[in-house]
Amino acid sequence: MTQGIEIKGLNELLRQMTKYPMQLVKVVSVTMSASLNTLWEKVPAYPPQEPDATYRRTGTLGKSLGSSMSGGAVGDPSVYRIRQLGEGEGNFEGTFGSNLDYAPFVIGEQQAGMHSSNWWNIITIAQRAADKIERLWQKAGDLLAEFLEKQGA
C-alpha cells in the first residue's frame, strides 16, 4: 500500500550537486527521513467504532503504522524505509505504511466502500503532511544552493 509524494523543481540543483556526492546524500537523506517522520506524525486517530459493530478493535492497524488509536507517532511502523536510488545521485525513495494484508482495503487507495464512510485513508495522511514536507524540501534546496554558492559553482 503506497501513496506517492513527488518533489519537483530540484533537478538542476541535484545535477549540479553530483560533483559533491557526500554533501548531496547527507542533505537529501536527512530530508527524506524528516519527510517520513512527518507522514508518521500525521496519522489520524481511529474513527469512532460503529455502534452496531460486532467486532472488538485491537489497534493492530494503527500499530502497524507506528500509531496509537489516538493517532500520531508511537512505536515503529511496519513499513518505514529510505532507499538510495543510484550512487551519489541524490535520488532517494522513502516508503511509509502498513504491511498488513487488509490495510489497502481499510486505509488504502483500494478502500472498501464499507470503510470509506468511516475511515480516513493514506491519501489523507499525505494531504495532512504535504505542506510541511514541501517546506522541508524547500529548505533542503536552499541548503544545497548555499553549499554550491560557497563552492563557487
Short mmCIF file of all heavy atoms in Angstrom, two decimals, residues 14-65:
data_model
loop_
_atom_site.label_atom_id
_atom_site.label_comp_id
_atom_site.label_asym_id
_atom_site.label_seq_id
_atom_site.Cartn_x
_atom_site.Cartn_y
_atom_site.Cartn_z
N LEU A 14 20.10 19.30 -8.16
CA LEU A 14 20.61 17.95 -7.93
C LEU A 14 21.70 17.60 -8.95
O LEU A 14 22.70 16.96 -8.60
CB LEU A 14 19.48 16.93 -7.97
CG LEU A 14 18.45 17.03 -6.84
CD1 LEU A 14 17.31 16.05 -7.07
CD2 LEU A 14 19.09 16.82 -5.49
N ARG A 15 21.50 18.01 -10.18
CA ARG A 15 22.51 17.75 -11.22
C ARG A 15 23.83 18.42 -10.86
O ARG A 15 24.89 17.82 -10.95
CB ARG A 15 22.02 18.24 -12.58
CG ARG A 15 22.94 17.84 -13.74
CD ARG A 15 22.59 18.52 -15.04
NE ARG A 15 22.74 19.97 -15.00
CZ ARG A 15 23.90 20.63 -14.94
NH1 ARG A 15 25.04 19.99 -14.91
NH2 ARG A 15 23.94 21.96 -14.92
N GLN A 16 23.77 19.67 -10.41
CA GLN A 16 24.99 20.38 -10.04
C GLN A 16 25.65 19.75 -8.81
O GLN A 16 26.88 19.77 -8.68
CB GLN A 16 24.68 21.85 -9.76
CG GLN A 16 24.31 22.65 -10.99
CD GLN A 16 23.99 24.09 -10.63
OE1 GLN A 16 24.66 24.69 -9.79
NE2 GLN A 16 22.96 24.64 -11.26
N MET A 17 24.85 19.21 -7.92
CA MET A 17 25.38 18.64 -6.69
C MET A 17 26.03 17.28 -6.89
O MET A 17 26.69 16.78 -5.99
CB MET A 17 24.27 18.52 -5.64
CG MET A 17 23.91 19.83 -4.96
SD MET A 17 25.27 20.57 -4.02
CE MET A 17 25.60 19.32 -2.79
N THR A 18 25.88 16.66 -8.07
CA THR A 18 26.51 15.36 -8.29
C THR A 18 28.03 15.45 -8.18
O THR A 18 28.69 14.44 -7.99
CB THR A 18 26.10 14.74 -9.65
OG1 THR A 18 26.46 15.64 -10.70
CG2 THR A 18 24.62 14.42 -9.68
N LYS A 19 28.59 16.67 -8.27
CA LYS A 19 30.03 16.86 -8.09
C LYS A 19 30.41 16.72 -6.60
O LYS A 19 31.58 16.59 -6.28
CB LYS A 19 30.45 18.25 -8.58
CG LYS A 19 30.21 18.49 -10.04
CD LYS A 19 30.50 19.94 -10.38
CE LYS A 19 29.91 20.31 -11.72
NZ LYS A 19 29.86 21.76 -11.92
N TYR A 20 29.42 16.80 -5.74
CA TYR A 20 29.63 16.75 -4.30
C TYR A 20 28.72 15.69 -3.67
O TYR A 20 27.81 16.00 -2.92
CB TYR A 20 29.34 18.12 -3.68
CG TYR A 20 30.05 19.25 -4.39
CD1 TYR A 20 29.39 20.01 -5.35
CD2 TYR A 20 31.39 19.53 -4.12
CE1 TYR A 20 30.05 21.04 -6.01
CE2 TYR A 20 32.05 20.55 -4.78
CZ TYR A 20 31.37 21.30 -5.73
OH TYR A 20 32.03 22.31 -6.39
N PRO A 21 28.95 14.43 -4.03
CA PRO A 21 28.01 13.37 -3.63
C PRO A 21 27.81 13.21 -2.12
O PRO A 21 26.70 12.93 -1.68
CB PRO A 21 28.58 12.11 -4.26
CG PRO A 21 30.00 12.42 -4.57
CD PRO A 21 30.08 13.90 -4.78
N MET A 22 28.86 13.40 -1.34
CA MET A 22 28.71 13.21 0.11
C MET A 22 27.75 14.25 0.69
O MET A 22 26.89 13.92 1.50
CB MET A 22 30.07 13.24 0.81
CG MET A 22 30.90 12.00 0.50
SD MET A 22 32.55 12.03 1.23
CE MET A 22 32.18 12.17 2.95
N GLN A 23 27.91 15.51 0.29
CA GLN A 23 27.04 16.58 0.78
C GLN A 23 25.61 16.36 0.28
O GLN A 23 24.65 16.54 1.02
CB GLN A 23 27.57 17.95 0.34
CG GLN A 23 26.74 19.11 0.84
CD GLN A 23 26.83 19.29 2.36
OE1 GLN A 23 27.73 18.80 3.01
NE2 GLN A 23 25.86 19.98 2.92
N LEU A 24 25.49 15.96 -0.96
CA LEU A 24 24.18 15.73 -1.56
C LEU A 24 23.43 14.63 -0.82
O LEU A 24 22.28 14.80 -0.41
CB LEU A 24 24.34 15.36 -3.04
CG LEU A 24 23.06 14.97 -3.79
CD1 LEU A 24 22.05 16.10 -3.79
CD2 LEU A 24 23.42 14.55 -5.21
N VAL A 25 24.10 13.51 -0.62
CA VAL A 25 23.46 12.37 0.06
C VAL A 25 23.10 12.75 1.49
O VAL A 25 22.03 12.40 1.98
CB VAL A 25 24.38 11.12 0.00
CG1 VAL A 25 23.89 10.04 0.94
CG2 VAL A 25 24.45 10.60 -1.43
N LYS A 26 23.98 13.50 2.15
CA LYS A 26 23.71 13.92 3.52
C LYS A 26 22.42 14.74 3.61
O LYS A 26 21.53 14.44 4.40
CB LYS A 26 24.89 14.73 4.05
CG LYS A 26 24.71 15.28 5.44
CD LYS A 26 25.92 16.14 5.82
CE LYS A 26 25.64 16.97 7.04
NZ LYS A 26 26.73 17.90 7.33
N VAL A 27 22.31 15.76 2.80
CA VAL A 27 21.15 16.65 2.86
C VAL A 27 19.87 15.93 2.43
O VAL A 27 18.84 16.03 3.09
CB VAL A 27 21.38 17.93 2.00
CG1 VAL A 27 20.10 18.74 1.87
CG2 VAL A 27 22.49 18.78 2.59
N VAL A 28 19.95 15.18 1.36
CA VAL A 28 18.76 14.51 0.84
C VAL A 28 18.30 13.41 1.78
O VAL A 28 17.10 13.26 2.03
CB VAL A 28 18.99 13.99 -0.60
CG1 VAL A 28 17.81 13.15 -1.07
CG2 VAL A 28 19.19 15.17 -1.55
N SER A 29 19.21 12.64 2.34
CA SER A 29 18.79 11.55 3.24
C SER A 29 18.17 12.10 4.52
O SER A 29 17.18 11.55 5.01
CB SER A 29 19.94 10.60 3.53
OG SER A 29 20.99 11.25 4.20
N VAL A 30 18.74 13.17 5.06
CA VAL A 30 18.16 13.78 6.27
C VAL A 30 16.76 14.33 5.96
O VAL A 30 15.82 14.17 6.76
CB VAL A 30 19.09 14.90 6.82
CG1 VAL A 30 18.38 15.77 7.83
CG2 VAL A 30 20.34 14.29 7.42
N THR A 31 16.61 14.94 4.80
CA THR A 31 15.31 15.50 4.42
C THR A 31 14.28 14.39 4.17
O THR A 31 13.12 14.53 4.54
CB THR A 31 15.45 16.42 3.19
OG1 THR A 31 16.44 17.41 3.47
CG2 THR A 31 14.13 17.09 2.85
N MET A 32 14.72 13.30 3.57
CA MET A 32 13.80 12.18 3.33
C MET A 32 13.35 11.60 4.66
O MET A 32 12.17 11.29 4.84
CB MET A 32 14.48 11.11 2.47
CG MET A 32 13.58 9.92 2.18
SD MET A 32 12.05 10.35 1.30
CE MET A 32 12.71 10.65 -0.32
N SER A 33 14.27 11.46 5.60
CA SER A 33 13.91 10.94 6.92
C SER A 33 12.90 11.86 7.60
O SER A 33 11.90 11.40 8.17
CB SER A 33 15.17 10.79 7.77
OG SER A 33 14.84 10.29 9.04
N ALA A 34 13.13 13.16 7.53
CA ALA A 34 12.20 14.13 8.12
C ALA A 34 10.85 14.07 7.43
O ALA A 34 9.80 14.22 8.08
CB ALA A 34 12.78 15.54 8.04
N SER A 35 10.84 13.80 6.14
CA SER A 35 9.58 13.69 5.39
C SER A 35 8.78 12.47 5.85
O SER A 35 7.56 12.56 6.06
CB SER A 35 9.87 13.58 3.89
OG SER A 35 10.49 14.75 3.42
N LEU A 36 9.46 11.34 6.02
CA LEU A 36 8.76 10.14 6.50
C LEU A 36 8.26 10.34 7.93
O LEU A 36 7.15 9.91 8.27
CB LEU A 36 9.67 8.91 6.43
CG LEU A 36 9.99 8.39 5.04
CD1 LEU A 36 10.84 7.13 5.14
CD2 LEU A 36 8.74 8.12 4.24
N ASN A 37 9.06 11.01 8.75
CA ASN A 37 8.61 11.29 10.12
C ASN A 37 7.39 12.19 10.11
O ASN A 37 6.51 12.05 10.97
CB ASN A 37 9.74 11.93 10.93
CG ASN A 37 10.81 10.94 11.31
OD1 ASN A 37 10.60 9.73 11.30
ND2 ASN A 37 11.98 11.44 11.62
N THR A 38 7.30 13.09 9.16
CA THR A 38 6.13 13.97 9.04
C THR A 38 4.90 13.15 8.68
O THR A 38 3.82 13.36 9.25
CB THR A 38 6.39 15.06 7.99
OG1 THR A 38 7.50 15.85 8.42
CG2 THR A 38 5.17 15.95 7.81
N LEU A 39 5.03 12.22 7.75
CA LEU A 39 3.90 11.34 7.43
C LEU A 39 3.46 10.58 8.68
O LEU A 39 2.28 10.49 8.99
CB LEU A 39 4.28 10.35 6.33
CG LEU A 39 4.44 10.91 4.94
CD1 LEU A 39 5.09 9.90 4.02
CD2 LEU A 39 3.09 11.37 4.38
N TRP A 40 4.42 10.05 9.38
CA TRP A 40 4.17 9.25 10.58
C TRP A 40 3.41 10.06 11.62
O TRP A 40 2.44 9.59 12.20
CB TRP A 40 5.50 8.76 11.09
CG TRP A 40 5.52 7.79 12.23
CD1 TRP A 40 4.46 7.19 12.84
CD2 TRP A 40 6.69 7.31 12.88
NE1 TRP A 40 4.91 6.36 13.84
CE2 TRP A 40 6.27 6.42 13.88
CE3 TRP A 40 8.04 7.53 12.71
CZ2 TRP A 40 7.17 5.75 14.71
CZ3 TRP A 40 8.92 6.87 13.53
CH2 TRP A 40 8.49 5.99 14.52
N GLU A 41 3.83 11.29 11.86
CA GLU A 41 3.17 12.11 12.89
C GLU A 41 1.78 12.57 12.48
O GLU A 41 0.99 12.99 13.31
CB GLU A 41 4.05 13.30 13.28
CG GLU A 41 4.11 14.39 12.23
CD GLU A 41 5.14 15.48 12.52
OE1 GLU A 41 6.06 15.27 13.31
OE2 GLU A 41 5.00 16.56 11.90
N LYS A 42 1.48 12.48 11.18
CA LYS A 42 0.18 12.94 10.68
C LYS A 42 -0.86 11.82 10.58
O LYS A 42 -1.96 12.03 10.08
CB LYS A 42 0.34 13.60 9.31
CG LYS A 42 1.20 14.84 9.33
CD LYS A 42 0.60 15.94 10.18
CE LYS A 42 1.46 17.20 10.12
NZ LYS A 42 0.93 18.28 10.93
N VAL A 43 -0.54 10.63 11.08
CA VAL A 43 -1.53 9.54 11.08
C VAL A 43 -2.68 9.97 12.00
O VAL A 43 -2.47 10.27 13.17
CB VAL A 43 -0.91 8.21 11.57
CG1 VAL A 43 -2.00 7.14 11.73
CG2 VAL A 43 0.17 7.74 10.61
N PRO A 44 -3.91 10.02 11.46
CA PRO A 44 -5.05 10.45 12.27
C PRO A 44 -5.44 9.41 13.32
O PRO A 44 -5.05 8.25 13.25
CB PRO A 44 -6.19 10.60 11.25
CG PRO A 44 -5.55 10.60 9.91
CD PRO A 44 -4.27 9.82 10.06
N ALA A 45 -6.24 9.86 14.25
CA ALA A 45 -6.83 8.95 15.24
C ALA A 45 -7.78 7.99 14.55
O ALA A 45 -8.31 8.27 13.47
CB ALA A 45 -7.57 9.76 16.30
N TYR A 46 -8.00 6.85 15.18
CA TYR A 46 -9.00 5.92 14.68
C TYR A 46 -10.36 6.63 14.69
O TYR A 46 -10.66 7.38 15.62
CB TYR A 46 -9.13 4.72 15.62
CG TYR A 46 -8.24 3.54 15.29
CD1 TYR A 46 -6.89 3.68 15.03
CD2 TYR A 46 -8.78 2.27 15.28
CE1 TYR A 46 -6.10 2.59 14.77
CE2 TYR A 46 -7.99 1.16 15.01
CZ TYR A 46 -6.64 1.33 14.75
OH TYR A 46 -5.85 0.24 14.48
N PRO A 47 -11.17 6.37 13.70
CA PRO A 47 -12.53 6.90 13.75
C PRO A 47 -13.33 6.15 14.81
O PRO A 47 -12.96 5.03 15.18
CB PRO A 47 -13.08 6.62 12.35
CG PRO A 47 -12.27 5.47 11.85
CD PRO A 47 -10.92 5.59 12.49
N PRO A 48 -14.38 6.76 15.31
CA PRO A 48 -15.20 6.04 16.30
C PRO A 48 -15.72 4.72 15.71
O PRO A 48 -16.05 4.64 14.53
CB PRO A 48 -16.36 6.99 16.56
CG PRO A 48 -15.91 8.31 16.05
CD PRO A 48 -14.91 8.06 14.97
N GLN A 49 -15.76 3.71 16.55
CA GLN A 49 -16.28 2.42 16.09
C GLN A 49 -17.78 2.53 15.88
O GLN A 49 -18.48 3.19 16.65
CB GLN A 49 -15.97 1.33 17.13
CG GLN A 49 -16.36 -0.05 16.66
CD GLN A 49 -15.75 -1.14 17.51
OE1 GLN A 49 -14.80 -0.90 18.25
NE2 GLN A 49 -16.28 -2.34 17.39
N GLU A 50 -18.25 1.92 14.83
CA GLU A 50 -19.69 1.91 14.54
C GLU A 50 -20.42 1.27 15.73
O GLU A 50 -19.99 0.24 16.24
CB GLU A 50 -19.99 1.11 13.26
CG GLU A 50 -19.38 1.71 12.00
CD GLU A 50 -20.06 2.99 11.57
OE1 GLU A 50 -21.26 3.18 11.84
OE2 GLU A 50 -19.37 3.83 10.96
N PRO A 51 -21.52 1.88 16.17
CA PRO A 51 -22.23 1.36 17.35
C PRO A 51 -22.72 -0.08 17.19
O PRO A 51 -22.77 -0.83 18.15
CB PRO A 51 -23.42 2.30 17.52
CG PRO A 51 -23.20 3.43 16.59
CD PRO A 51 -22.13 3.06 15.63
N ASP A 52 -23.04 -0.47 15.96
CA ASP A 52 -23.57 -1.82 15.74
C ASP A 52 -22.48 -2.82 15.32
O ASP A 52 -22.78 -3.94 14.91
CB ASP A 52 -24.69 -1.78 14.70
CG ASP A 52 -24.24 -1.19 13.37
OD1 ASP A 52 -23.16 -0.57 13.32
OD2 ASP A 52 -24.99 -1.35 12.39
N ALA A 53 -21.22 -2.43 15.44
CA ALA A 53 -20.12 -3.32 15.05
C ALA A 53 -20.09 -4.55 15.96
O ALA A 53 -20.32 -4.45 17.16
CB ALA A 53 -18.79 -2.58 15.12
N THR A 54 -19.79 -5.69 15.34
CA THR A 54 -19.79 -6.95 16.09
C THR A 54 -18.37 -7.42 16.43
O THR A 54 -18.20 -8.51 16.95
CB THR A 54 -20.50 -8.05 15.29
OG1 THR A 54 -19.84 -8.18 14.03
CG2 THR A 54 -21.96 -7.71 15.08
N TYR A 55 -17.38 -6.59 16.12
CA TYR A 55 -16.00 -6.98 16.42
C TYR A 55 -15.41 -6.06 17.48
O TYR A 55 -15.94 -4.98 17.75
CB TYR A 55 -15.14 -6.92 15.15
CG TYR A 55 -15.00 -5.53 14.59
CD1 TYR A 55 -13.91 -4.72 14.97
CD2 TYR A 55 -15.93 -4.99 13.71
CE1 TYR A 55 -13.78 -3.44 14.48
CE2 TYR A 55 -15.80 -3.71 13.22
CZ TYR A 55 -14.72 -2.94 13.60
OH TYR A 55 -14.60 -1.66 13.11
N ARG A 56 -14.31 -6.48 18.07
CA ARG A 56 -13.61 -5.67 19.06
C ARG A 56 -12.32 -5.14 18.43
O ARG A 56 -11.52 -5.89 17.89
CB ARG A 56 -13.26 -6.54 20.27
CG ARG A 56 -12.68 -5.78 21.44
CD ARG A 56 -12.42 -6.75 22.61
NE ARG A 56 -11.14 -6.52 23.23
CZ ARG A 56 -9.94 -6.89 22.79
NH1 ARG A 56 -9.84 -7.54 21.67
NH2 ARG A 56 -8.85 -6.63 23.46
N ARG A 57 -12.14 -3.85 18.47
CA ARG A 57 -10.94 -3.25 17.90
C ARG A 57 -9.72 -3.61 18.74
O ARG A 57 -9.75 -3.54 19.96
CB ARG A 57 -11.07 -1.74 17.84
CG ARG A 57 -11.92 -1.30 16.68
CD ARG A 57 -11.62 0.13 16.35
NE ARG A 57 -12.38 0.50 15.18
CZ ARG A 57 -12.80 1.71 14.92
NH1 ARG A 57 -12.53 2.69 15.75
NH2 ARG A 57 -13.49 1.96 13.84
N THR A 58 -8.63 -3.94 18.02
CA THR A 58 -7.39 -4.31 18.69
C THR A 58 -6.31 -3.24 18.53
O THR A 58 -5.31 -3.28 19.24
CB THR A 58 -6.84 -5.63 18.12
OG1 THR A 58 -6.55 -5.42 16.73
CG2 THR A 58 -7.85 -6.76 18.29
N GLY A 59 -6.49 -2.34 17.59
CA GLY A 59 -5.48 -1.32 17.32
C GLY A 59 -4.35 -1.82 16.45
O GLY A 59 -3.34 -1.13 16.28
N THR A 60 -4.49 -3.01 15.87
CA THR A 60 -3.43 -3.61 15.06
C THR A 60 -3.07 -2.75 13.86
O THR A 60 -1.89 -2.57 13.56
CB THR A 60 -3.84 -5.03 14.61
OG1 THR A 60 -4.09 -5.81 15.77
CG2 THR A 60 -2.75 -5.68 13.77
N LEU A 61 -4.06 -2.20 13.18
CA LEU A 61 -3.78 -1.36 12.02
C LEU A 61 -2.96 -0.14 12.43
O LEU A 61 -1.96 0.19 11.80
CB LEU A 61 -5.08 -0.94 11.33
CG LEU A 61 -4.93 -0.05 10.10
CD1 LEU A 61 -4.04 -0.69 9.05
CD2 LEU A 61 -6.30 0.26 9.52
N GLY A 62 -3.37 0.53 13.49
CA GLY A 62 -2.61 1.68 13.98
C GLY A 62 -1.19 1.30 14.38
O GLY A 62 -0.23 1.99 14.04
N LYS A 63 -1.06 0.18 15.08
CA LYS A 63 0.27 -0.28 15.49
C LYS A 63 1.16 -0.53 14.28
O LYS A 63 2.35 -0.25 14.30
CB LYS A 63 0.16 -1.55 16.33
CG LYS A 63 -0.41 -1.32 17.71
CD LYS A 63 -0.61 -2.64 18.44
CE LYS A 63 -1.48 -2.44 19.66
NZ LYS A 63 -1.98 -3.70 20.19
N SER A 64 0.57 -1.06 13.20
CA SER A 64 1.37 -1.34 12.00
C SER A 64 1.83 -0.04 11.33
O SER A 64 2.78 -0.04 10.56
CB SER A 64 0.58 -2.20 11.01
OG SER A 64 -0.40 -1.43 10.34
N LEU A 65 1.17 1.08 11.65
CA LEU A 65 1.58 2.39 11.15
C LEU A 65 2.43 3.14 12.18
O LEU A 65 2.78 4.30 11.98
CB LEU A 65 0.34 3.24 10.83
CG LEU A 65 -0.49 2.78 9.64
CD1 LEU A 65 -1.83 3.50 9.61
CD2 LEU A 65 0.27 2.99 8.34
#
